[in-house]
Amino acid sequence: TDELSFVSKHNFLAGFIGGRRPLIAAEIIHLFSNAQTNSIGNTLLLGFSQSARDQSIRKYAWRGMEIAKKHLNIFTDKLREDHLHSAPNHEDAVTDSTEAPFSDKLITFLITLLITAGIGNYGMAMSASPRHDLGTTYARLAAEIGGYAKDGANIMIKNSWMEEPPQADDRMELNKKK
């Protein structure tokens, strides 16, 4: 509409039980973009799962693909509740090749990069949504991929692929030296 209107009901923030209002523009944008990134992530992980050399990395990629597919379905369902379209599926773009285009180290790094971006996207979406049910959904999904990220870090540590990042000085340890 072309009219300016103001929120007049407290159920604008609701979403758990009854009184669920339609999605606002910011919520639609975040649901769609998170559906889209999970669709792309699902496609990449499918390719990684069939081309990684190490079986544990293939399993890790497959698990990530299943998580991405689950999250994609959650975002798609939220959009469809308001009769909105969602992101397309790209799985058919993956060939049947099992030839690894990248090293297992790079594949694992790329997966962790996808996870980091996903958690950031979920945090941004959570902060932009006044509807409580959406915020809770994003928090739950971020926690799920946080656990998946930890497993990826453990794979990188086990294979000596993770460099220790720069850290603040340990002032307690420096104090003991005097």
Side-chain angles (χ1 to χ4, degrees):
T1 82
D2 292 337
E3 290 182 28
L4 180 64
S5 59
F6 296 90
V7 174
S8 61
K9 296 180 184 175
H10 292 285
N11 72 349
F12 181 78
L13 305 176
F16 290 117
I17 301 171
R20 188 178 292 169
R21 63 158 169 74
L23 296 167
I24 61 173
E27 293 165 341
I28 295 167
I29 290 166
H30 286 288
L31 285 166
F32 184 85
S33 66
N34 281 308
Q36 190 172 44
T37 55
N38 273 283
S39 177
I40 294 166
N42 172 54
T43 303
L44 286 168
L45 290 163
L46 176 60
F48 291 159
S49 73
Q50 71 188 40
S51 63
R53 291 173 188 90
D54 184 271
Q55 179 65 23
S56 68
I57 295 169
R58 284 195 299 272
K59 282 179 156 177
Y60 182 65
W62 186 265
R63 184 171 145 226
M65 183 196 70
E66 290 181 333
I67 292 170
K69 199 179 296 188
K70 175 183 150 192
H71 291 203
L72 170 61
N73 288 334
I74 289 168
F75 298 136
T76 298
D77 289 346
K78 295 281 185 196
L79 289 165
R80 286 187 181 147
E81 287 173 9
D82 279 10
H83 308 283
L84 299 167
H85 295 287
S86 185
N89 184 327
H90 303 285
E91 279 186 356
D92 58 345
V94 179
T95 68
D96 62 353
S97 174
T98 57
E99 195 67 34
F102 308 116
S103 69
D104 285 352
K105 180 179 180 178
L106 182 57
I107 287 173
T108 307
F109 173 76
L110 291 172
I111 293 171
T112 60
L113 195 62
L114 290 171
I115 296 166
T116 303
I119 291 173
N121 289 342
Y122 290 4
M124 184 72 77
M126 190 183 334
S127 71
S129 177
R131 230 172 75 175
H132 296 305
D133 64 315
L134 294 177
T136 302
T137 297
Y138 283 117
R140 180 177 51 85
L141 298 179
E144 180 180 16
I145 58 176
Y148 179 61
K150 181 182 177 203
D151 294 342
N154 286 331
I155 288 172
M156 293 178 74
I157 291 167
K158 179 184 138 210
N159 289 293
S160 298
W161 294 339
M162 184 182 285
E163 292 181 27
E164 193 169 309
Q167 299 176 20
D169 293 328
D170 185 342
R171 301 297 175 182
M172 294 295 284
E173 192 62 36
L174 290 172
N175 192 29
K176 291 177 187 176
K177 289 182 179 181
K178 286 196 169 198

